[in-house]
Amino acid sequence: MPLGVSLISFDAYKADDNVEIRWQTVSEINSDYFVVEKSIDLDNYIEVAKLKAAGYSNGLLNYLV
């Protein structure tokens, strides 16, 4: 089953003592939210952010955490 989100870019940048994450979608079908997680050992993950998604979109959208 294909995903309902078409991601066209995803970047992470160091911002002071944090990481800033930016991504763009070009279409979204039935999307509810995005969850950003982090891990220090690649086995265990913790949620650091949850952003509301567009739901339905057929244009360029920008997200930032």
Side-chain angles (χ1 to χ4, degrees), residues 19-31:
V19 175
E20 185 174 278
I21 301 169
R22 297 174 184 243
W23 66 95
Q24 294 180 310
T25 63
V26 71
S27 71
E28 296 181 31
I29 301 170
N30 199 27
S31 58

Side-chain angles (χ1 to χ4, degrees), residues 1-7 27-31 34:
M1 175 188 241
L3 295 176
V5 175
S6 294
L7 185 70
S27 71
E28 296 181 31
I29 301 170
N30 199 27
S31 58
F34 295 98

Side-chain angles (χ1 to χ4, degrees), residues 3 6-7 9-12 14 18 26 28 30 32 34 37-41 45-47 49-50 54 56 59 62 64:
L3 295 176
S6 294
L7 185 70
S9 71
F10 184 91
D11 295 298
K14 185 176 183 319
N18 296 308
V26 71
E28 296 181 31
N30 199 27
D32 190 13
F34 295 98
E37 299 177 326
K38 74 175 185 177
S39 174
I40 59 171
D41 60 10
Y45 291 83
I46 60 167
E47 183 178 311
K50 185 175 184 177
Y56 293 90
N62 296 293
L64 170 66

